[in-house]
Amino acid sequence: MRYDTITADPILPVDTLPLEVAVVVPTLNEAANVERLIEKLSIVLAGRGWEILFVDDNSSDGTSDLVRRIGRTARHVRIVQRVGRRGLSSAVIEGMLATAAPVIAVMDGDLQHDESTLPRLIDALMTGDTDIAVGTRYVAGGGTGDWDKGRVRMSRLATRAGQIALGTDVSDPMSGFFAVRRDAFERALPRLSGIGFKILIDILASSPTALRVAEIPYHFRTREAGESKIGMRVIAEYAELIADKTVGRFVPVRLIKFLMVGGLGVFVHLAILGALLSAGDAFITAQTGAVMTAIAFNFFLNNSFTYADRKLKGWAMLGGLASFYAISALGAVANIGIGTWMAGQDERWWIAGVAGVLVGAIWNFAMSSALTWRK
Ligand SMILES: Nc1nc2c(ncn2[C@@H]2O[C@H](COP(=O)(O)OP(=O)(O)O)[C@@H](O)[C@H]2O)c(=O)[nH]1
Ligand SMILES: [Mg+2]
């Protein structure tokens, strides 16, 4: 088998050298690429004490098994296999925590990151005045390869949004190719969000003091095997990461999502109410129908949006819906109670109304996150 030829005769006995650098590689269905990646790194990192640590989210194509087979004869090839988990950033964080190396590089498993740039990223940290060395596509000498116009535009836009929101002038904060000193990573660790795809932005924004960044240009390569995992979910998670890194300091992003869903629920309520009234229903029947539908609407939207990471399925979903109805009913009682009390304190009716809605909404949020979508 091919991997025997990669590892049987290393140029230097890497497993006996002190560990200098770990390359953390998140993978999701990259079996077609891992052998070539190890082979390429064996060449560019020859002479260093290095290890490669794959963090695989239980790929269905056998990536984990393949890495384990290689790792049996090459101890510097390691695997963390996660079951029932997803997410590039959280995978990278766990990989970083699973190595003892003083320098940690992060690289995709699909050969799109040019490995010949890797030694330069690592060496940039050796000078002592750099905390993190970033492989960048957006300075002279770098490039985005054969991305189509749409993807280039999308990436530029997201890059700009990230730079503005985080107040950073790093040219490619969306890069997934960088090397960081372990102490710098550990300082950022307690505040990392671990959301979504963009771990570099997370580290830059979570560091208590501004990191000293070196930028090293490289050309992003075309993916030859396997598939990109970019999609709507990645875009949504990017927005969530930016929100968490900015307003998230003051209000939990989950609460904002919950309130957004609640706001949509008001429209659903009014639409159903209007439709039932014009169909000739009495107000009480129409209002009851509208409330029941709006609560169900909010439940399903919260289940797949606000709590996508704890999404209820099957019977658990029915139980969740029932508990959500019960919580919302009590929330309505709290809403009316507080609203009525406020109305007696202040003659501006809308203040009483808003106070009731806020207390009801926060009650619903707190109770449903503790009961309906409990961890
Ligand atoms: N562990 C893990 N790896 C992931 C996940 N999503 C993507 N990856 C890996 O992250 C790297 C970059 O992903 P890719 O889809 O190529 O992104 P693109 O290059 O921006 O299109 C690849 O090595 C993927 O296998 C995930 O949810 N978990
Ligand atoms: Mg890729």
Side-chain angles (χ1 to χ4, degrees):
M1 269 176 274
R2 249 183 81 214
Y3 58 83
D4 290 330
T5 62
I6 303 169
T7 52
D9 186 23
I11 301 164
L12 272 171
V14 53
D15 298 340
T16 62
L17 291 170
L19 185 57
E20 178 191 334
V21 57
V23 184
V24 171
V25 181
T27 55
L28 197 59
N29 295 327
E30 302 290 0
N33 293 313
V34 298
E35 285 175 81
R36 273 181 62 207
L37 179 62
I38 297 169
E39 195 169 15
K40 283 166 178 285
L41 293 195
S42 306
I43 296 167
V44 296
L45 297 179
R48 299 175 196 253
W50 66 285
E51 67 178 5
I52 183 165
L53 216 157
F54 291 91
V55 186
D56 183 56
D57 282 349
N58 211 16
S59 298
S60 54
D61 71 351
T63 303
S64 287
D65 279 337
L66 175 61
V67 173
R68 267 191 291 272
R69 284 214 301 278
I70 301 172
R72 262 173 225 133
T73 48
R75 288 178 179 229
H76 61 292
V77 176
R78 296 177 52 206
I79 176 90
V80 172
Q81 180 179 2
R82 308 196 304 171
V83 179
R85 305 275 306 283
R86 257 302 178 82
L88 196 156
S89 284
S90 62
V92 168
I93 295 168
E94 279 168 47
M96 289 174 150
L97 289 170
T99 177
V103 166
I104 305 162
V106 177
M107 188 173 187
D108 286 356
D110 57 7
L111 309 172
Q112 289 194 274
H113 291 153
D114 181 355
E115 68 288 338
S116 66
T117 306
L118 184 60
R120 296 178 57 207
L121 292 175
I122 298 165
D123 292 341
L125 301 180
M126 299 304 167
T127 57
D129 55 10
T130 301
D131 297 309
I132 189 162
V134 177
T136 173
R137 297 162 284 193
Y138 301 132
V139 297
T144 45
D146 69 345
W147 270 4
D148 60 38
K149 277 213 181 77
R151 177 104 197 240
V152 171
R153 218 174 294 137
M154 193 173 83
S155 182
R156 288 265 178 194
L157 198 75
T159 299
R160 204 70 205 107
Q163 287 169 329
I164 293 168
L166 310 175
T168 171
D169 55 3
V170 173
S171 65
D172 194 357
M174 316 262 289
S175 176
F177 187 26
F178 60 93
V180 62
R181 295 164 59 95
R182 169 161 215 100
D183 51 344
F185 162 70
E186 280 177 359
R187 271 182 275 133
L189 185 60
R191 289 176 55 202
L192 287 176
S193 306
I195 299 169
F197 229 60
K198 299 299 171 190
I199 179 64
L200 174 60
I201 288 191
D202 203 354
I203 293 177
L204 291 173
S206 301
S207 179
T209 51
L211 293 179
R212 295 164 302 169
V213 182
E215 302 200 66
I216 316 277
Y218 81 98
H219 277 276
F220 199 62
R221 285 201 204 114
T222 306
R223 186 188 254 278
E224 283 168 23
E227 282 171 17
S228 170
K229 282 91 204 170
I230 251 205
M232 269 321 285
R233 178 172 159 162
V234 169
I235 298 169
E237 285 177 343
Y238 180 63
E240 188 168 343
L241 174 66
I242 297 290
D244 191 47
K245 284 290 168 245
T246 47
V247 294
R249 250 172 288 161
F250 312 106
V251 192
V253 172
R254 216 193 277 282
L255 174 61
I256 298 174
K257 289 166 100 179
F258 192 87
L259 295 177
M260 277 162 58
V261 170
L264 284 179
V266 173
F267 287 102
V268 171
H269 180 119
L270 293 179
I272 303 276
L273 180 62
L276 292 180
L277 285 176
S278 61
D281 281 3
F283 185 83
I284 180 138
T285 336
Q287 176 76 337
T288 309
V291 168
M292 299 303 276
T293 318
I295 293 177
F297 168 84
N298 278 12
F299 172 78
F300 287 112
L301 202 54
N302 278 323
N303 196 37
S304 32
F305 172 64
T306 316
Y307 291 96
D309 55 330
R310 303 185 204 166
K311 189 169 180 172
L312 302 170
K313 294 179 185 144
W315 288 110
M317 192 171 76
L318 277 187
L321 180 61
S323 73
F324 195 68
Y325 267 116
I327 290 165
S328 303
L330 283 174
V333 172
N335 179 339
I336 294 168
I338 293 286
T340 311
W341 177 77
M342 279 293 283
Q345 309 286 311
D346 190 313
E347 60 242 29
R348 282 165 297 178
W349 59 271
W350 58 271
I351 292 203
V354 169
V357 167
L358 274 182
V359 169
I362 288 171
W363 157 272
N364 284 355
F365 175 70
M367 292 307 283
S368 66
S369 70
L371 298 175
T372 310
W373 289 283
R374 66 171 172 265
K375 268 199 190 148

